[in-house]
Amino acid sequence: MATTVRRTVLTLPAGPLGPENPLPALRPLDETHAVDERDRAALPRDMARQIGFEPLSTVLPARILDGYGRERTATALDAIVIENDRLRATVLPGLGGRVHSLHHKPTGRELLYRNPVLQPADFALNGAWFSGGIEWNIGATGHTALSCAPLHAARVPAPDGGEMVRLWEWERLRDLPFQVDLWLPEDSDFLHVGVRIRNPHEHTAPVYWWSNIAVPEGERTRVLAPADEAWHFGYERSLTRVPVPVSGSVDRTYPLRGEFPADYFYEVPDGARRWIASLDEDGHGLVQTSTDLLRGRKLFLWGSGAGGRRWQEWLTEPGTVGYAEIQAGLARTQLEHVPLEPGAEFSWLESYGPLSADPLAVHGEDWAAARAETELRLAEALPRADVEAAHAAWRPFADTEPGESLATGSGWGALEVRRGKYELPGTPFADSTLGEQQQPWLELLDQGTFPEPRRAVPPGPSLVSPHWRDMLETAPAEPLTEYHLGIAQWHAGDRAQAVRSWERGLVLAPSRWPLLRCLAVAAEEGRQRDRAADLYGEAFDALCAERRDEGEGEAWTAAAAALGREALEALLAAGRPAAARSVWAALPPAIRQRGRFRLLEARLLIAEDDRAAARAVFDEGFEVEDLREGAQILDEVWAGITDEPLPDRYNFRMRPGC
């Protein structure tokens, strides 16, 4: 059959994503993937330089997604299917363009780990993320802020005369447009993926990209890559060079042989073909290869320990096969950001398909022979020259204007194109995509004023790039303008000026709680615990007085939950359990029943010296829906109650010694 592209609907048990957190993300990233400054001196110079190149301090202007739940219901998801007589790829444009499934028809094998559920969890830079399939990580170290966001999608002519699917969006953390072209040639066993990232600005931009592929995990599943060494990163925040495959007497190329979650970034020699494969006990599995620009390759494993297995259950469901991740990126490690010059672009081609190799060689003790066998079979299935030729054939089509629209992303790209008057062939950001969140910024752009709201509602998203900051600085100094200006100044590192802007806005603000909350964060970051506690208490009281549940009920509930949580944590940190109890009592009952707030209740009870009641909270059972990757809060609170071992249901430990 000729290659076809069609829309369909995929129904999965899914946890609700919930609303955006309306509080601006002013705090530093809670990022587990970081290297201590003192350890960088021992790293290769280029690696150390790229690790230190403009790491993010916040996820502004993105909003945090932490309102999701764990009560899954059958949910219809828009999907795009790309299919020939060999492969069928299913893509979710509304969820970051994730490739949910890659099915090989002749063998009937699913090449990816296809998650049977869609369960959001706190792994993305801005919160909500889910496991499985192939995801496109752009922005900064970690899972992209677009993990659960819609992308634009359309049909585009393919180099072989057929059709391909283009996904594109404006990545807001780095202010860069990108595209992903999915091309399945007729009669091919390999899905080609052309990727392009452009820098339309007059300054050098830091770029991050890792294609993240979830593959089934098994006792005899082995991950192979063309390397004899790797950079090991564990959750102790250290990056060390280790031999491949055996390190510490354990063959780490088998994901289940390690105990704790870990990253292994393979040191692929210059000139070597870029590839990585996951093959089962019979030598069957998936291989990913690319043109040379995509230099990095990585294995992430959950390990066989209790914490890793608990995370696997948390992200999927008990009784399903686990998964590991094989990845490919622009740099050697995920802690690095690569410079992209003004007006320049990065482009490369990746290929995904089935691979079968001699299992005796693949699983033999001779690592060089295992690698050679895998690379030989890859060369037979898809020669290196063919990948280069496919990239060359695709490249002229990257500028082709899309045809029929298959999905619509956000309006932020249209706003930026309108502001910057950018010419971006192949990735149109139409004015028709401008929506409610962009409207006040469009008024600022066109009229020089930021509109005050007509009714009491939580403020909309802020923009923080220098262009928008300059416009806010010259706009009339209304309270809402000062609020957004302070956020942009905070993002730029001018914290004293941000505080002054918020204080100016507070004088005449009809809605005080958003400004008070910003000032509370500033006090907290300045280690002024008592002042932060005072401001949080005042902000929460102001929100309760102003809150309206009719019309904008979901937004107000999200604001109450987000501000209530921050206020409780600040008051507990300041040693004020009585004030914290008052905030707790003012929260709506439905919010108090959420897992995050049950944990806060246990902390409050400990502060009130009622450990028996705190223990009862744990005994009754709760799930912290937005438990952060690498978080130790459950261990810490449990240790404040008892010396007994942490119950298995609360064991999410990702490193030894905790």
PDB file of all heavy atoms in Angstrom, residues 358-379:
ATOM      1  N   ASP A 358      21.709 -11.565  15.758  1.00  0.00           N
ATOM      2  CA  ASP A 358      22.002 -12.872  16.346  1.00  0.00           C
ATOM      3  C   ASP A 358      21.996 -12.748  17.872  1.00  0.00           C
ATOM      4  O   ASP A 358      22.840 -12.045  18.437  1.00  0.00           O
ATOM      5  CB  ASP A 358      23.371 -13.351  15.867  1.00  0.00           C
ATOM      6  CG  ASP A 358      23.759 -14.700  16.447  1.00  0.00           C
ATOM      7  OD1 ASP A 358      22.983 -15.274  17.234  1.00  0.00           O
ATOM      8  OD2 ASP A 358      24.874 -15.168  16.135  1.00  0.00           O
ATOM      9  N   PRO A 359      21.060 -13.406  18.570  1.00  0.00           N
ATOM     10  CA  PRO A 359      20.981 -13.245  20.020  1.00  0.00           C
ATOM     11  C   PRO A 359      22.228 -13.744  20.752  1.00  0.00           C
ATOM     12  O   PRO A 359      22.574 -13.214  21.819  1.00  0.00           O
ATOM     13  CB  PRO A 359      19.740 -14.055  20.413  1.00  0.00           C
ATOM     14  CG  PRO A 359      19.521 -15.010  19.285  1.00  0.00           C
ATOM     15  CD  PRO A 359      20.006 -14.295  18.059  1.00  0.00           C
ATOM     16  N   LEU A 360      22.907 -14.740  20.193  1.00  0.00           N
ATOM     17  CA  LEU A 360      24.124 -15.235  20.854  1.00  0.00           C
ATOM     18  C   LEU A 360      25.200 -14.157  20.862  1.00  0.00           C
ATOM     19  O   LEU A 360      25.933 -13.991  21.855  1.00  0.00           O
ATOM     20  CB  LEU A 360      24.629 -16.491  20.143  1.00  0.00           C
ATOM     21  CG  LEU A 360      23.713 -17.715  20.240  1.00  0.00           C
ATOM     22  CD1 LEU A 360      24.321 -18.891  19.467  1.00  0.00           C
ATOM     23  CD2 LEU A 360      23.486 -18.104  21.703  1.00  0.00           C
ATOM     24  N   ALA A 361      25.296 -13.402  19.773  1.00  0.00           N
ATOM     25  CA  ALA A 361      26.274 -12.315  19.727  1.00  0.00           C
ATOM     26  C   ALA A 361      25.817 -11.134  20.568  1.00  0.00           C
ATOM     27  O   ALA A 361      26.596 -10.547  21.328  1.00  0.00           O
ATOM     28  CB  ALA A 361      26.495 -11.881  18.281  1.00  0.00           C
ATOM     29  N   VAL A 362      24.549 -10.780  20.442  1.00  0.00           N
ATOM     30  CA  VAL A 362      24.021  -9.625  21.177  1.00  0.00           C
ATOM     31  C   VAL A 362      24.194  -9.807  22.677  1.00  0.00           C
ATOM     32  O   VAL A 362      24.548  -8.865  23.400  1.00  0.00           O
ATOM     33  CB  VAL A 362      22.528  -9.405  20.818  1.00  0.00           C
ATOM     34  CG1 VAL A 362      21.869  -8.446  21.808  1.00  0.00           C
ATOM     35  CG2 VAL A 362      22.403  -8.886  19.399  1.00  0.00           C
ATOM     36  N   HIS A 363      23.969 -11.013  23.170  1.00  0.00           N
ATOM     37  CA  HIS A 363      24.010 -11.258  24.613  1.00  0.00           C
ATOM     38  C   HIS A 363      25.289 -11.959  25.065  1.00  0.00           C
ATOM     39  O   HIS A 363      25.378 -12.427  26.199  1.00  0.00           O
ATOM     40  CB  HIS A 363      22.783 -12.065  25.038  1.00  0.00           C
ATOM     41  CG  HIS A 363      21.491 -11.339  24.813  1.00  0.00           C
ATOM     42  ND1 HIS A 363      21.102 -10.267  25.576  1.00  0.00           N
ATOM     43  CD2 HIS A 363      20.519 -11.523  23.872  1.00  0.00           C
ATOM     44  CE1 HIS A 363      19.924  -9.820  25.137  1.00  0.00           C
ATOM     45  NE2 HIS A 363      19.558 -10.561  24.100  1.00  0.00           N
ATOM     46  N   GLY A 364      26.268 -12.002  24.174  1.00  0.00           N
ATOM     47  CA  GLY A 364      27.532 -12.608  24.561  1.00  0.00           C
ATOM     48  C   GLY A 364      28.354 -11.701  25.464  1.00  0.00           C
ATOM     49  O   GLY A 364      28.063 -10.514  25.634  1.00  0.00           O
ATOM     50  N   GLU A 365      29.408 -12.253  26.036  1.00  0.00           N
ATOM     51  CA  GLU A 365      30.259 -11.486  26.949  1.00  0.00           C
ATOM     52  C   GLU A 365      31.194 -10.534  26.217  1.00  0.00           C
ATOM     53  O   GLU A 365      31.754  -9.622  26.821  1.00  0.00           O
ATOM     54  CB  GLU A 365      31.072 -12.451  27.819  1.00  0.00           C
ATOM     55  CG  GLU A 365      30.203 -13.269  28.772  1.00  0.00           C
ATOM     56  CD  GLU A 365      31.038 -14.144  29.694  1.00  0.00           C
ATOM     57  OE1 GLU A 365      32.292 -14.048  29.621  1.00  0.00           O
ATOM     58  OE2 GLU A 365      30.451 -14.906  30.485  1.00  0.00           O
ATOM     59  N   ASP A 366      31.368 -10.733  24.920  1.00  0.00           N
ATOM     60  CA  ASP A 366      32.252  -9.874  24.132  1.00  0.00           C
ATOM     61  C   ASP A 366      31.461  -8.648  23.666  1.00  0.00           C
ATOM     62  O   ASP A 366      30.688  -8.718  22.707  1.00  0.00           O
ATOM     63  CB  ASP A 366      32.791 -10.664  22.932  1.00  0.00           C
ATOM     64  CG  ASP A 366      33.860  -9.891  22.166  1.00  0.00           C
ATOM     65  OD1 ASP A 366      33.848  -8.644  22.195  1.00  0.00           O
ATOM     66  OD2 ASP A 366      34.701 -10.544  21.514  1.00  0.00           O
ATOM     67  N   TRP A 367      31.672  -7.528  24.347  1.00  0.00           N
ATOM     68  CA  TRP A 367      30.922  -6.310  24.045  1.00  0.00           C
ATOM     69  C   TRP A 367      31.215  -5.812  22.628  1.00  0.00           C
ATOM     70  O   TRP A 367      30.308  -5.379  21.912  1.00  0.00           O
ATOM     71  CB  TRP A 367      31.248  -5.243  25.073  1.00  0.00           C
ATOM     72  CG  TRP A 367      30.696  -3.871  24.812  1.00  0.00           C
ATOM     73  CD1 TRP A 367      31.391  -2.723  24.588  1.00  0.00           C
ATOM     74  CD2 TRP A 367      29.309  -3.497  24.749  1.00  0.00           C
ATOM     75  NE1 TRP A 367      30.543  -1.659  24.392  1.00  0.00           N
ATOM     76  CE2 TRP A 367      29.250  -2.105  24.484  1.00  0.00           C
ATOM     77  CE3 TRP A 367      28.120  -4.208  24.877  1.00  0.00           C
ATOM     78  CZ2 TRP A 367      28.050  -1.405  24.366  1.00  0.00           C
ATOM     79  CZ3 TRP A 367      26.911  -3.517  24.749  1.00  0.00           C
ATOM     80  CH2 TRP A 367      26.881  -2.136  24.496  1.00  0.00           C
ATOM     81  N   ALA A 368      32.462  -5.883  22.218  1.00  0.00           N
ATOM     82  CA  ALA A 368      32.817  -5.431  20.878  1.00  0.00           C
ATOM     83  C   ALA A 368      32.086  -6.257  19.820  1.00  0.00           C
ATOM     84  O   ALA A 368      31.604  -5.724  18.811  1.00  0.00           O
ATOM     85  CB  ALA A 368      34.323  -5.506  20.670  1.00  0.00           C
ATOM     86  N   ALA A 369      31.991  -7.560  20.038  1.00  0.00           N
ATOM     87  CA  ALA A 369      31.294  -8.425  19.091  1.00  0.00           C
ATOM     88  C   ALA A 369      29.795  -8.140  19.088  1.00  0.00           C
ATOM     89  O   ALA A 369      29.149  -8.155  18.028  1.00  0.00           O
ATOM     90  CB  ALA A 369      31.549  -9.889  19.432  1.00  0.00           C
ATOM     91  N   ALA A 370      29.216  -7.863  20.255  1.00  0.00           N
ATOM     92  CA  ALA A 370      27.789  -7.542  20.344  1.00  0.00           C
ATOM     93  C   ALA A 370      27.487  -6.260  19.580  1.00  0.00           C
ATOM     94  O   ALA A 370      26.500  -6.175  18.834  1.00  0.00           O
ATOM     95  CB  ALA A 370      27.375  -7.412  21.807  1.00  0.00           C
ATOM     96  N   ARG A 371      28.340  -5.273  19.757  1.00  0.00           N
ATOM     97  CA  ARG A 371      28.162  -4.009  19.040  1.00  0.00           C
ATOM     98  C   ARG A 371      28.331  -4.199  17.534  1.00  0.00           C
ATOM     99  O   ARG A 371      27.552  -3.673  16.729  1.00  0.00           O
ATOM    100  CB  ARG A 371      29.175  -2.980  19.534  1.00  0.00           C
ATOM    101  CG  ARG A 371      28.829  -2.330  20.842  1.00  0.00           C
ATOM    102  CD  ARG A 371      29.964  -1.465  21.330  1.00  0.00           C
ATOM    103  NE  ARG A 371      30.680  -0.808  20.243  1.00  0.00           N
ATOM    104  CZ  ARG A 371      31.918  -0.333  20.332  1.00  0.00           C
ATOM    105  NH1 ARG A 371      32.593  -0.474  21.458  1.00  0.00           N
ATOM    106  NH2 ARG A 371      32.485   0.274  19.314  1.00  0.00           N
ATOM    107  N   ALA A 372      29.359  -4.949  17.156  1.00  0.00           N
ATOM    108  CA  ALA A 372      29.641  -5.149  15.730  1.00  0.00           C
ATOM    109  C   ALA A 372      28.485  -5.872  15.044  1.00  0.00           C
ATOM    110  O   ALA A 372      28.097  -5.522  13.918  1.00  0.00           O
ATOM    111  CB  ALA A 372      30.937  -5.927  15.565  1.00  0.00           C
ATOM    112  N   GLU A 373      27.931  -6.881  15.709  1.00  0.00           N
ATOM    113  CA  GLU A 373      26.790  -7.610  15.142  1.00  0.00           C
ATOM    114  C   GLU A 373      25.597  -6.673  14.963  1.00  0.00           C
ATOM    115  O   GLU A 373      24.935  -6.675  13.918  1.00  0.00           O
ATOM    116  CB  GLU A 373      26.418  -8.774  16.060  1.00  0.00           C
ATOM    117  CG  GLU A 373      25.044  -9.399  15.814  1.00  0.00           C
ATOM    118  CD  GLU A 373      24.895 -10.096  14.468  1.00  0.00           C
ATOM    119  OE1 GLU A 373      25.921 -10.318  13.777  1.00  0.00           O
ATOM    120  OE2 GLU A 373      23.758 -10.414  14.089  1.00  0.00           O
ATOM    121  N   THR A 374      25.318  -5.852  15.970  1.00  0.00           N
ATOM    122  CA  THR A 374      24.175  -4.934  15.890  1.00  0.00           C
ATOM    123  C   THR A 374      24.380  -3.915  14.773  1.00  0.00           C
ATOM    124  O   THR A 374      23.469  -3.640  13.979  1.00  0.00           O
ATOM    125  CB  THR A 374      23.980  -4.223  17.234  1.00  0.00           C
ATOM    126  OG1 THR A 374      23.889  -5.195  18.283  1.00  0.00           O
ATOM    127  CG2 THR A 374      22.715  -3.383  17.223  1.00  0.00           C
ATOM    128  N   GLU A 375      25.592  -3.377  14.682  1.00  0.00           N
ATOM    129  CA  GLU A 375      25.853  -2.361  13.666  1.00  0.00           C
ATOM    130  C   GLU A 375      25.821  -2.964  12.264  1.00  0.00           C
ATOM    131  O   GLU A 375      25.379  -2.315  11.312  1.00  0.00           O
ATOM    132  CB  GLU A 375      27.191  -1.670  13.934  1.00  0.00           C
ATOM    133  CG  GLU A 375      27.419  -0.469  13.054  1.00  0.00           C
ATOM    134  CD  GLU A 375      28.349   0.559  13.673  1.00  0.00           C
ATOM    135  OE1 GLU A 375      28.849   0.334  14.796  1.00  0.00           O
ATOM    136  OE2 GLU A 375      28.579   1.594  13.028  1.00  0.00           O
ATOM    137  N   LEU A 376      26.264  -4.213  12.131  1.00  0.00           N
ATOM    138  CA  LEU A 376      26.196  -4.888  10.839  1.00  0.00           C
ATOM    139  C   LEU A 376      24.751  -5.054  10.387  1.00  0.00           C
ATOM    140  O   LEU A 376      24.409  -4.793   9.223  1.00  0.00           O
ATOM    141  CB  LEU A 376      26.884  -6.250  10.930  1.00  0.00           C
ATOM    142  CG  LEU A 376      26.784  -7.143   9.686  1.00  0.00           C
ATOM    143  CD1 LEU A 376      27.480  -6.489   8.496  1.00  0.00           C
ATOM    144  CD2 LEU A 376      27.384  -8.527   9.969  1.00  0.00           C
ATOM    145  N   ARG A 377      23.888  -5.490  11.300  1.00  0.00           N
ATOM    146  CA  ARG A 377      22.475  -5.680  10.950  1.00  0.00           C
ATOM    147  C   ARG A 377      21.804  -4.345  10.635  1.00  0.00           C
ATOM    148  O   ARG A 377      20.944  -4.271   9.755  1.00  0.00           O
ATOM    149  CB  ARG A 377      21.732  -6.400  12.077  1.00  0.00           C
ATOM    150  CG  ARG A 377      22.291  -7.774  12.411  1.00  0.00           C
ATOM    151  CD  ARG A 377      22.425  -8.640  11.167  1.00  0.00           C
ATOM    152  NE  ARG A 377      23.208  -9.851  11.434  1.00  0.00           N
ATOM    153  CZ  ARG A 377      23.752 -10.612  10.501  1.00  0.00           C
ATOM    154  NH1 ARG A 377      23.626 -10.264   9.220  1.00  0.00           N
ATOM    155  NH2 ARG A 377      24.441 -11.683  10.823  1.00  0.00           N
ATOM    156  N   LEU A 378      22.208  -3.296  11.340  1.00  0.00           N
ATOM    157  CA  LEU A 378      21.689  -1.966  11.026  1.00  0.00           C
ATOM    158  C   LEU A 378      22.130  -1.538   9.626  1.00  0.00           C
ATOM    159  O   LEU A 378      21.325  -1.004   8.840  1.00  0.00           O
ATOM    160  CB  LEU A 378      22.157  -0.948  12.066  1.00  0.00           C
ATOM    161  CG  LEU A 378      21.871   0.523  11.747  1.00  0.00           C
ATOM    162  CD1 LEU A 378      20.379   0.778  11.570  1.00  0.00           C
ATOM    163  CD2 LEU A 378      22.450   1.424  12.838  1.00  0.00           C
ATOM    164  N   ALA A 379      23.395  -1.788   9.288  1.00  0.00           N
ATOM    165  CA  ALA A 379      23.906  -1.411   7.970  1.00  0.00           C
ATOM    166  C   ALA A 379      23.161  -2.148   6.860  1.00  0.00           C
ATOM    167  O   ALA A 379      22.932  -1.596   5.773  1.00  0.00           O
ATOM    168  CB  ALA A 379      25.404  -1.693   7.889  1.00  0.00           C
TER     169      ALA A 379
END
